[in-house]
């Protein structure tokens, strides 16, 4: 049984920072690609960033590049999204995922709310 639990969301002022955590059980994050998406009310879910299964490469949406950093801590089987220089347009529910490329199977967390005030 694969389960993902996001935490760390909350209310922050413009320009502030927040770190989201995603604790994973059922699979080892060191053998799966991981990623983050976000969804604002009335909007489509959009890609934020991804980390390769090796942990050796990342890619980010242009809107967050240079401000967000995706990392992985294998010992805790946890992935993180460090968010700096937050803007009101970053307000959304953030979801983490683990992705099995071979089986084309993705597992998603329940999401955590991030709200950035003006």
């Amino acid at each position: 049984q694969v389960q993902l639990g996001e935490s760390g969301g909350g209310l922050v002022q413009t320009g502030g920072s927040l770190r989201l955590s995603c604790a994973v059980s059922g699979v080892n994050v060191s053998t799966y690609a991981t990623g983050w998406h976000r969804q604002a009310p009335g909007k489509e879910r959009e890609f934020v960033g991804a980390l390769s299964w090796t942990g050796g490469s990342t890619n980010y949406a242009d809107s967050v590049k240079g401000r967000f950093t995706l990392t992985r801590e294998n010992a805790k089987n946890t992935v993180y999204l460090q968010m700096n220089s937050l803007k009101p347009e970053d307000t959304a529910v953030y979801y983490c995922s683990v992705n099995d490329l071979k089986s084309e199977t993705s597992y998603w967390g329940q999401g955590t709310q991030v709200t950035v005030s003006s």
Side-chain angles (χ1 to χ4, degrees):
Q1 185 178 14
V2 179
Q3 293 184 328
L4 289 73
E6 298 101 331
S7 62
L11 176 64
V12 65
Q13 296 181 5
T14 297
S17 298
L18 209 59
R19 189 179 76 159
L20 306 184
S21 300
C22 178
V24 180
S25 63
V27 296
N28 291 322
V29 297
S30 62
T31 61
Y32 285 81
T34 58
W36 289 88
H37 291 71
R38 66 187 182 186
Q39 188 169 23
K43 304 291 185 179
E44 295 182 352
R45 182 175 296 189
E46 65 174 339
F47 171 79
V48 174
L51 178 69
S52 68
W53 72 269
T54 64
S57 64
T58 55
N59 67 89
Y60 300 95
D62 289 341
S63 59
V64 306
K65 196 171 299 181
R67 300 187 298 119
F68 290 12
T69 304
L70 201 164
T71 58
R72 185 178 75 196
E73 188 170 1
N74 293 339
K76 294 184 177 180
N77 216 40
T78 299
V79 296
Y80 303 94
L81 184 67
Q82 178 67 47
M83 305 183 295
N84 299 325
S85 301
L86 284 163
K87 307 173 182 178
E89 52 262 44
D90 295 319
T91 296
V93 177
Y94 284 72
Y95 300 89
C96 68
S97 67
V98 295
N99 309 283
D100 185 343
L101 184 61
K102 183 177 180 180
S103 66
E104 299 183 349
T105 301
S106 295
Y107 305 93
W108 296 88
Q110 81 285 352
T112 185
Q113 176 71 49
V114 172
T115 303
V116 185
S117 63
S118 300

